[in-house]
Amino acid sequence: MKAHVHVTLKPGVLDPQGKAIHKALSGLGFEGVEQVRQGKVIELELSETDPARARESLRDMCEKLLANTVIENYAIELDV
Amino acid sequence: MKAHVHVTLKPGVLDPQGKAIHKALSGLGFEGVEQVRQGKVIELELSETDPARARESLRDMCEKLLANTVIENYAIELDV
């Protein structure tokens, strides 16, 4: 089973990477970009076939390793 | 208008970050993870309101800055 985990900075947390991209886009002449935030997406291939168990395992992975829950949110997406 | 750009490594391109995550998950006792790949997601807030023009502008941003098209694929998603 394939899964995607999206890890994004919580609103209000400073995002220097996003700011750098924003500045670079302006420098290249792209107008009308109001905000840029950068996050991560982690693609996992799991041997688990039960969606409920896979989701639980992924939540555990996020809490323990994939996301820093103090400053980041995560969203789990299963390709069923 | 809000847009998400997903930038992922092309299949076959070595992904040391993904490998490191895979190893760390194994070390934490997560069994049954077969593959891990890490990508980026860039969230943009655009002042453009026409979806077609926004998409064209985003494609241009990807080709010029957001993705390295030699080794990365990108996907554009508009929240209309």
Side-chain angles (χ1 to χ4, degrees):
Chain A
M1 180 178 290
K2 227 174 171 166
H4 289 84
V5 174
H6 295 256
V7 180
T8 48
L9 285 169
K10 289 189 178 174
V13 176
L14 212 67
D15 178 9
Q17 275 185 301
K19 279 221 178 337
I21 294 171
H22 195 173
K23 220 168 162 179
L25 286 173
S26 300
L28 286 170
F30 289 103
E31 310 287 336
V33 180
E34 283 163 8
Q35 214 200 353
V36 183
R37 308 272 291 168
Q38 188 182 322
K40 286 179 285 189
V41 56
I42 299 154
E43 263 181 57
L44 299 109
E45 184 75 49
L46 304 173
S47 58
E48 179 64 64
T49 50
D50 177 55
R53 281 221 301 268
R55 193 172 286 276
E56 198 182 329
S57 167
L58 286 164
R59 201 174 301 130
D60 212 20
M61 289 179 200
C62 286
E63 294 287 338
K64 285 188 180 151
L65 180 78
L66 303 181
N68 175 352
T69 54
V70 177
I71 54 165
E72 291 171 328
N73 288 325
Y74 61 84
I76 293 164
E77 205 181 286
L78 284 178
D79 299 4
V80 188
Chain B
M1 181 177 293
K2 227 174 171 168
H4 288 85
V5 174
H6 295 257
V7 180
T8 48
L9 284 169
K10 290 188 177 173
V13 177
L14 213 66
D15 177 10
Q17 276 185 301
K19 279 222 179 338
I21 295 171
H22 195 173
K23 221 168 161 177
L25 286 173
S26 299
L28 286 170
F30 290 104
E31 309 286 336
V33 181
E34 284 164 6
Q35 214 200 353
V36 183
R37 308 273 290 169
Q38 188 182 323
K40 287 179 284 189
V41 57
I42 299 154
E43 262 181 58
L44 299 109
E45 185 73 51
L46 303 173
S47 57
E48 179 64 65
T49 50
D50 177 54
R53 280 219 301 265
R55 193 172 286 275
E56 197 182 329
S57 167
L58 286 164
R59 200 173 302 128
D60 212 19
M61 290 179 200
C62 287
E63 294 287 339
K64 284 188 180 153
L65 180 78
L66 303 181
N68 175 352
T69 53
V70 177
I71 55 165
E72 292 171 328
N73 288 326
Y74 61 85
I76 294 164
E77 205 180 285
L78 285 177
D79 298 3
V80 188

